[in-house]
Amino acid sequence: MKTKLHAIHPRHQIKATGFTLLELLVVMVIIGLLAGYVGPKYFAQVGKSQIKAARAQIDALEKSLDQYRLDTGHYPVAEQGLAALIARPANEPKWDGPYLAKSVPVDPWGNAYVYRIPGEHGEFDLMSLGKDGQPGGSDEAADIVNW
């Protein structure tokens, strides 16, 4: 017994027309909800990583300053600042630097580190003023210090 295959008449074929406006709106709402949930968590992590980077840079600068002191017998004076870690200061015969592989870094927010000698909390104070670049603050705007 043979069966006949019937060809579908062109009028009865279904055309692939794409997505409806409603389907697109539903997908956009879902993407918006996901972005609203994930976005704040992501940006909070960015702030935490900048704080960790500032702490690591302060620690590296502190070690470089200690090496400078071992070689010269004292920390750089305020006028020399952290630049003394890169270039030999005038009248410093025992300088054996550079003590940093690259130039003196800026903090993760683009501000210079504050170096004070004599320090209020130790022989020297080294700090980043945080995201706002102002003394004090909290969270990302808090000062990051070496004491």
Side-chain angles (χ1 to χ4, degrees):
M1 195 183 206
K2 288 187 177 179
T3 58
K4 279 188 171 181
L5 294 174
H6 296 282
I8 300 175
H9 193 277
R11 282 191 309 189
H12 300 290
Q13 289 181 347
I14 300 174
K15 294 181 181 179
T17 58
F19 297 105
T20 66
L21 180 61
L22 181 61
E23 291 169 330
L24 290 174
L25 288 174
V26 168
V27 169
M28 289 174 58
V29 167
I30 291 171
I31 290 172
L33 289 172
L34 287 173
Y37 178 73
V38 173
K41 293 186 181 295
Y42 170 75
F43 288 113
Q45 293 303 318
V46 169
K48 287 180 186 176
S49 67
Q50 288 174 320
I51 292 169
K52 288 179 183 177
R55 285 189 180 131
Q57 285 178 333
I58 286 175
D59 185 52
L61 288 170
E62 197 170 18
K63 288 176 179 161
S64 296
L65 286 164
D66 288 340
Q67 185 63 47
Y68 180 99
R69 180 178 181 219
L70 287 173
D71 290 346
T72 63
H74 59 85
Y75 290 110
V77 297
E79 292 78 28
Q80 296 167 334
L82 297 175
L85 299 174
I86 299 296
R88 178 189 299 272
N91 302 321
E92 194 60 71
K94 294 181 183 177
W95 190 85
D96 193 28
Y99 298 96
L100 294 173
K102 297 179 182 177
S103 63
V104 178
V106 293
D107 71 12
W109 301 278
N111 304 313
Y113 284 99
V114 178
Y115 172 69
R116 292 186 186 136
I117 189 160
E120 296 176 11
H121 303 279
E123 290 186 68
F124 66 89
D125 292 345
L126 188 58
M127 62 193 292
S128 164
L129 298 176
K131 184 177 183 176
D132 64 353
Q134 302 295 321
S138 60
D139 298 325
E140 288 181 45
D143 298 345
I144 300 151
V145 298
N146 70 325
W147 60 88

